Amino acid sequence: MNERYPARGGGQSDTRMPFGVIDSIQMACLDSSPDAPLDPALERVALTDEPGWPASHAEPVVFLVDASSRLEARLLEAWVERVRPEGGDASQHESIRLPPSRRRRAGATLDRLEVRLAAGDDPLLAPLRIVWLAAERDGKRAARFVNLLTLGDPRDPGTLRQRLILSRNPDRCRIVAGAAARLSELRERWRKLGGSDANLTQSLPEFVARQAALASERAERRVRGARYKVPRLVHEDILDRPAFRGGALRLARQLDHNEPAVVKQMSRYLREIAATHSPYVIDLAAHLIRRLYTLGYDEALAYDRDQLARIAALSQRHPVVMLPSHKSNLDHLVLQYMLYENGHPPNHTAGGINMNFFPVGPLVRRSGTFFIRRTFKDNPIYKFVLQHYVDYLIEKRFPLEWYIEGGRSRSGKLLPPRFGMLAYVVDAYRRGKSEDVLLIPISIAYDQIQDVTSYAAEQSGAMKQAEGLGWFISLIRSLRRRYGTVRIRFGEPLSLAKVLGEPNPDAEPDPDEQSLSVQKIAFEVAVRINEVTPITATSLVTLALLGRGDRAVTVPETVTAVENLLAYVRRRDLPRTSELELDDPDEVERTLEALVENNVVSRFDGGPEVVYRIGAEQQLTAAYYRNTIIHFFITSAIAELALLRAAEPGVKDPTASFWDEAMALRDLLKFEFFFSEKEVYRGELRRELGIHDSAWEQRLAEGSLGIQRLIRNFRPFTSHRVLRPFLDAYRLVGDHLERWDPDTEVDEGRFVTECMGLGKQYLLQGTIHSAASVSQLLIKTALKVAANRGLLKTGAPDQREQRREFAEEIHAGVRRIDAIDALAAGRRAGIIG
C-alpha cells in the first residue's frame, strides 16, 4: 500500500454534538440488527481528523474494511458515503470486510476478497480501520491504571463500550486510512516474494490482507504515537518468507527429516521465542513497573533526556541495540519505563527462558521480552529460527536489548561479555539486513541495590534462589526499604558499519561467537559502559572505608578518608552524580546513615562521638559498591605496584622493570578487568603517571630514591583499596595449587570449597585482610587464570615448580600492596605528605 489519502478539513473537527444528535447515535448504537438502516446521524457527523477520499483516477476503489463490530463497520460505511466526491459514481467503489485485527472471529474468511481480486481489473485497494483512543487528561492520552484493571484496554473496547464512547466522547473514535495501492502493484510485489509458488508463500488474498493490515498499522501509529510501534504479524510474516521456507527445506534435507514436520517444529520454536506485544499490556506493565520500583527508589529516574532523544532519532534511520549493564532485576524494568514515559516503543528484549514463569512470563512477553533457551548448540532447527527472528527485527528496525554480561553481576564490577546474541546481530548486519546497526552502551547505576545481600551470600557459598513466584514475591518484599536513586547513563553509540565495513548480502549465515571481530565489539561495548558509569557517594565512601580495614571512623575522619579520592575524581573529570559533594560533612553523614539503614555499615553511638564501621560480615556487601567504580582506579593501582618493583634492590634498569611488571599485572588480572590493547595500555599508564608527577620519567630513571619520591606524590594511594581483595583471593588459589599433587586432576568444585576453607583460616590468622577476598567468584576467576597458564594439567613437566612460581608472583604483589598500605597509614599519621 503506497498512495496516501489527502488530508480532509485541515485540522480537528468540532466534536461537540447537540444532544439530539447524541441521542440519535445512542439509539443507532443500541440497534444490533445487521440489516438495520444506517442512522442519518452517523452520515452527518464527522469524527475528529477524518481522512479524505483516496487519490484515484478512473479506476474503481475497493475499501478493505477492518472492523471488529457491526458498529465499526457502519461508521466506516458512513464515512465512505460522507466523503465520497460529489458526482462520484457509487458503482465505482465498494467495501470488503477483512477478518478483524482485533476481536477476531472464528470462521472469518477472505472469500469475498478472493473473488474481487479475480475480476480482472486493476482497482485501488484502500485499507480502513477504526481506532479508539484513551481519554485525554492533562493534554495526554494515556490509559489510567485503575481503568486498565477494571475496564480493560480503552483502545480495544467491546461493542457496548464502543457505543458508550461514541455517544459520550466521540473525540476518542478515529477513522484511519492506510496508504492505498493498486492491485497490479501488489500482485507484482507478491510475485517477487515468491507468490507464484504456493509452496513458498501465502496466497494473493492473504498477501493483500496482510499488506492492508500493515498499512493500517502505520496509519494507526500516526494517531497513537510511536510508543506503540510494535510488530503485529511476526509469526505469519517470518514463516511465509521465501528465505525461511527455502531454508527449512534445505535444513530438512540436511537432517534427513520430513519437511512439514520441520516447519511445524520451527513454528513451535518461533512461538516459544517471539515477543507478542500488546498495547494494553505495554500500558499495564508500565504502571506496574512504576509502582514496583518506587517502592524502594525515588520516583524520578535520573537520565539525560536530550541523549535519549538523539538515540530515538538514530533509531529512525537504523536499528539500535541497547546493551545495559546488569546489576539488578530492576534493570530492564526501569529502562522500559524510561522509554515509555518518553513516548518511545519498548525494546525487543532478550530474556532467559528461566524467566518465563507465571505471572511474570506472559506479562513481559506481551510488553516486549522474547525468551531464549540457555543452551541450543546442538539444535540446528532452533538456531535457524532464532537467526531469522533476529534478521526480521534488524530488517524492520525494531530496537533490541539484552545484557552484554549475560547475567547479573554478583561482585559489582562489569562481567566479561557474552557473545551469543551479538553474534546473531553482527551476522544479520554482515548479510545486509540493514545498512548499519548502532550499539548503545548503557550503564544503570543505583545508590544501593536491594539484591546485594543475596549476592554476598552467593559469593560465600549460598545457593542462588531459583526464579519463580516465590522469588518474585521476595523481590517485592525486599523493596520495602529506601535505596535512593536509579541513574541511567548512555555511552557513545558504536556503529557496526564503521567497525566491520560494508555488508555482503551474498554472505552465508554464520553467527560465530568465536569470531575475533565479535569479541572485540563486545569488549568495546563493555569499555564504553564502564566509561559512563557514574561514581556515587555510596561507591566512593565504601571504597574509602574498606581501605581502613574494619576500624571504625567518625564523620570527620570519613571526610578526610574521602578527600584525596574526591580530588582525584575531580582532577580526572570522571563521571559522577551531581550530588557527589563529599567534602561536606552533612552529605557524608547522610551517605553513611543510608548505608546503616540497609546494614552495609554499622553505627555505634554509645560514646561521645558516633562512629561507623564495615564489619567482617558486611565486607562482601560493601565491596559490591566499591567494585562498581574500581575500573577508574586500576591503572593508578598497577602503576604503584610496578614502581615498587622497579625500586627494589638489584634492579639494573628501573624503566624496563616498571614496564615488565605493569604488563605482568595486566596479564595476571586480565580476566577481572577490561584492559586496553598493549600500546594503548602503555599510553594510559604514561598519562596516569603524568597526573601525579610531570617529571615521572626522570624520577623513574633515577632509580630507587627517585621512584620513592614519585610514589609519595601519588594522591590517593589506591592499590591497597583496589587490588588487595583480588590478589588475596588469588593467593588462596596459588597457595592451595602449590600444595596440590601435580599428578592429580583438579576438581573445580572440591578445589573451590577447599580454597574457601583456606580463606577463612587465613582471615582468622590475619594473613589476608578482608572477608571480601573469601569469595567463590574471585576464587573461580583465579582458577581460570591458572588454567590459562596451563597450571591445572596433570603430568606436565616442571608443573610443581611452575605452580610455585605462580604462587610467588602473587605473594610478591601482596607484599607490595602491604608497602602501599603502610605509606597510606603514614600519610594519615602525618609522617609523609
Side-chain angles (χ1 to χ4, degrees), residues 545 548-554 557-558 602 604 611-614:
L545 293 189
R548 295 291 188 95
D550 61 356
R551 175 175 170 267
V553 292
T554 64
E557 286 175 326
T558 307
S602 297
F604 178 75
V611 292
Y612 301 87
R613 169 178 174 267
I614 298 175

Side-chain angles (χ1 to χ4, degrees), residues 487-501:
R487 297 175 173 85
I488 303 171
R489 297 287 181 91
F490 305 100
E492 184 68 23
L494 182 65
S495 162
L496 291 190
K498 290 182 179 179
V499 174
L500 300 173

Side-chain angles (χ1 to χ4, degrees), residues 1-7 12 48-52 126-129 131-133 141 174-180 211-230 232 316 343:
M1 302 291 173
N2 43 36
E3 291 192 27
R4 294 193 178 277
Y5 294 63
Q12 290 192 347
T48 302
D49 283 341
E50 284 192 346
L128 288 179
R129 178 183 291 182
V131 174
W132 302 93
L133 303 177
R141 292 192 179 275
R174 304 288 174 88
I175 295 172
V176 297
Q211 295 306 303
L214 293 173
S216 295
E217 287 290 331
R218 287 190 287 270
E220 184 173 331
R221 278 202 298 269
R222 288 193 289 271
V223 175
R224 295 198 192 280
R227 177 179 286 164
Y228 307 105
K229 181 188 175 184
V230 294
R232 294 289 296 273
Q316 299 301 308

